[in-house]
Amino acid sequence: MKILIADSMHPSLFTMLEAEGWEYAYHPEYKREDIIRELPEYEGLFIRSKTFVDLEVMQPAKKLRFIARAGAGLDLIDLEIAKEKGIEVFHAGEGNRDAVAEHMLGMLLGLLANIVKADKEVRNGIWDREGNRGVELMKKTVGLIGYGNNGGATAKRLSGFGCKVLAFDKYRDNYGDAFATEACLEEIMKEADILSLHVPLTDETKYLIDQKFIENFSKPFYLMNLSRGKVANLTAVVEGLKSGKIIGACLDVLENEKLKTLTEEQQAVFDYLINSNRVVLTPHIGGWTHESYVRINEVLLRQIKEWLVMA
């Protein structure tokens, strides 16, 4: 099998492919036009986040049998076109679920305990103990929207803090387990002290968190977004922070992560976020650990091998 790797990957992938006897070409420097030009010669495509794999990419690739996405989200692939053309799509949701769960906890604890704020102050010679009195995570009610790989791994870790975890997943039934109770969205909006998002970006989830959603929460809450930036309308999030309905926010993702291309409105929102002591920001690194970098490859290879056996 001949595979094009068109994005940066951990070197462990090469050893795994060679062990299977599969031929590959590694071109992380390829741009969209290069992928479109070269892909017709390959049966497989590995990507991370470089380009949207749509009809323009898939149409000329007559030999293409599968696309492997080194990550959890599939919003970079036109799944309907892939299905029409009989192209199998793989993703490594379980490959970075532990990294995402740990990152979520790190951000949340950093916010609740004022760790990020206090660190900045101490570095500037400010020793303010009372102003940095923290809030405990213990026994808080956490609402998870989306209960797949990342949601489940997050709930498991929250259980160690004695949290009550409510999970809502529109596309699953009977998914409650030892770590989370199945709940409707209304229950979460009524009871949650903390809301954490674990959904892909789709037409249904785009701007799920808007002004109306925030206002419908029964009490002030903390917002966590480690999913996709456009799941939360950041203008609405800022308004929620200003009104006090959102106590604090941890954002690993933004609507526009190319910071040099922000619109005037996006820049104003971004300026508020970076100047707020009630916001913790990281650059989309929730699933970005040294361990997950390797594990993602292992998950993808296992899925491809299982598929080939069944094909």
Side-chain angles (χ1 to χ4, degrees):
M1 193 156 53
K2 200 174 177 183
I3 298 168
L4 174 63
I5 305 171
D7 225 324
S8 297
M9 299 287 176
H10 190 274
S12 61
L13 177 61
F14 313 142
T15 305
M16 295 176 197
L17 293 174
E18 289 163 4
E20 298 300 322
W22 298 342
E23 183 181 346
Y24 65 88
Y26 184 49
H27 290 287
E29 78 283 0
Y30 270 10
K31 295 182 171 56
R32 179 180 175 85
E33 56 269 24
D34 301 314
I35 296 172
I36 293 171
R37 183 186 67 247
E38 300 296 333
L39 191 55
E41 297 301 316
Y42 295 90
E43 295 170 86
L45 172 66
F46 274 74
I47 62 166
R48 186 176 296 280
S49 56
K50 176 169 290 184
T51 190
F52 185 57
V53 183
D54 54 9
L55 179 62
E56 184 183 20
V57 176
M58 288 185 268
Q59 183 68 40
K62 304 301 182 185
K63 298 180 183 178
L64 190 62
R65 297 177 64 194
F66 74 84
I67 302 168
R69 157 83 164 100
L74 290 173
D75 45 291
L76 285 171
I77 302 170
D78 190 322
L79 298 177
E80 289 187 12
I81 296 296
K83 185 176 181 180
E84 285 177 16
K85 295 189 170 298
I87 299 170
E88 197 73 19
V89 176
F90 303 101
H91 72 103
E94 63 185 275
N96 62 5
R97 63 187 176 189
D98 295 321
V100 171
E102 290 186 13
H103 193 85
M104 180 272 192
L105 269 180
M107 293 186 81
L108 181 57
L109 293 171
L111 179 65
L112 294 180
N114 290 314
I115 293 171
V116 178
K117 172 178 176 289
D119 176 79
K120 291 178 182 176
E121 291 178 355
V122 173
R123 291 172 189 272
N124 285 290
I126 300 170
W127 193 267
D128 180 11
R129 296 183 69 204
E130 185 57 38
N132 286 298
R133 188 182 291 273
V135 174
E136 294 181 11
L137 177 55
M138 179 69 74
K139 295 186 179 180
K140 294 291 187 293
T141 297
V142 183
L144 305 178
I145 299 183
Y147 201 62
N149 284 301
N150 291 340
T154 299
K156 185 176 182 179
R157 283 155 180 80
L158 287 169
S159 67
F161 288 86
C163 292
K164 176 182 179 182
V165 181
L166 302 176
F168 169 74
D169 196 311
K170 184 176 180 178
Y171 302 101
R172 297 183 64 192
D173 295 308
N174 303 315
Y175 52 86
D177 57 24
F179 307 113
T181 301
E182 187 174 338
C184 65
L185 204 51
E186 289 71 24
E187 288 178 88
I188 288 176
M189 297 173 91
K190 181 180 179 181
E191 298 185 33
D193 301 298
I194 300 159
L195 177 69
S196 189
L197 307 175
H198 300 272
V199 293
L201 179 62
T202 66
D203 290 340
E204 285 187 293
T205 62
K206 186 176 181 180
Y207 297 137
L208 171 67
I209 310 302
D210 58 11
Q211 185 175 353
K212 183 179 179 181
F213 185 99
I214 293 168
E215 289 175 351
N216 283 340
F217 254 73
S218 296
K219 55 185 177 181
F221 66 98
Y222 294 91
L223 174 66
M224 313 287 301
N225 189 11
L226 287 84
S227 59
R228 287 292 183 266
K230 289 186 179 179
V231 173
N233 182 307
L234 289 184
T235 299
V237 170
V238 166
E239 289 305 312
L241 287 163
K242 289 179 178 178
S243 71
K245 198 58 181 283
I246 296 178
I247 306 169
C250 295
L251 306 173
D252 182 51
V253 290
L254 301 175
E255 288 179 73
N256 183 355
E257 295 175 1
K258 297 178 181 178
L259 300 184
K260 294 182 180 179
T261 68
L262 298 180
T263 65
E264 187 175 341
E265 180 182 355
Q266 289 172 339
Q267 187 66 56
V269 167
F270 183 66
D271 288 344
Y272 181 89
L273 294 173
I274 63 175
N275 286 296
S276 174
N277 284 326
R278 295 184 293 137
V279 177
V280 176
L281 299 164
T282 51
H284 204 151
I285 55 172
W288 207 255
T289 62
H290 293 286
E291 292 84 356
S292 71
Y293 204 15
V294 176
R295 196 178 303 120
I296 282 171
N297 294 337
E298 295 171 342
V299 169
L300 289 175
L301 261 290
R302 188 190 74 235
Q303 291 176 351
I304 294 168
K305 286 162 64 177
E306 290 173 353
W307 166 69
L308 286 172
V309 170
M310 300 295 291

